[in-house]
């Protein structure tokens, strides 16, 4: 299953790199940067209902990507790119980054 997921993400990033509407300029590099950000001391977080930061993990992100990429309609692939684009450290708008963390956490934790 892990190999299939790796292939799906590779295909997603490949397609993104060849599509002028993709929100990431360098999808493969940015995906690595996203993973580095998640693993960093600071991490990527979103506030809980009580206002405390809740940290995104690589496992939660990959789980949500698996769900999106497994969508038979194909719309999940667009959503996956939107989430990754907003999680990218190159995303200047911190509000968008936090909203993307919320999207992943809500998808994974509900």
């Amino acid at each position: 299953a892990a190999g299939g997921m790796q292939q799906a993400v590779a295909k997603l990033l490949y397609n993104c790199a060849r599509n002028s509407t993709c929100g990431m300029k360098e999808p493969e590099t940015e995906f690595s940067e996203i993973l580095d950000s998640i693993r960093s001391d600071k991490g990527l977080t979103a506030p809980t209902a009580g206002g405390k930061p809740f940290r995104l993990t690589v496992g939660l992100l990959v789980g949500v990507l698996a769900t999106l990429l497994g969508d038979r309609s194909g719309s999940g692939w667009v959503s996956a790119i939107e989430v990754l684009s907003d999680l990218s450290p190159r995303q200047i708008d911190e509000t968008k980054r936090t909203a993307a963390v919320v999207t992943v956490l809500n998808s994974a934790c509900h």
Side-chain angles (χ1 to χ4, degrees):
M5 183 61 196
Q6 189 174 5
Q7 286 180 330
V9 170
K11 179 70 171 172
L12 176 74
L13 299 174
Y14 174 87
N15 289 345
C16 182
R18 279 136 192 85
N19 187 328
S20 62
T21 63
C22 179
M24 294 187 287
K25 300 292 183 213
E26 298 177 274
E28 291 180 24
T29 302
E30 288 184 58
F31 184 71
S32 292
E33 292 169 356
I34 292 166
L35 298 180
D36 290 345
S37 290
I38 291 171
R39 293 178 180 129
S40 72
D41 290 341
K42 182 180 176 190
L44 292 178
T45 64
T48 63
K52 295 184 180 179
F54 192 93
R55 189 175 179 126
L56 177 62
T57 65
V58 172
L60 290 173
L61 175 60
V62 170
V64 169
L65 288 176
T67 300
L68 291 172
L69 298 178
D71 173 41
R72 293 183 185 262
S73 74
S75 65
W77 285 64
V78 174
S79 297
I81 284 297
E82 289 171 353
V83 166
L84 291 177
S85 176
D86 287 347
L87 285 175
S88 174
R90 300 180 191 197
Q91 171 57 260
I92 300 167
D93 186 342
E94 285 294 322
T95 303
K96 276 189 172 184
R97 284 190 85 195
T98 301
V101 173
V102 168
T103 297
V104 174
L105 292 175
N106 284 342
S107 296
C109 300
H110 283 158

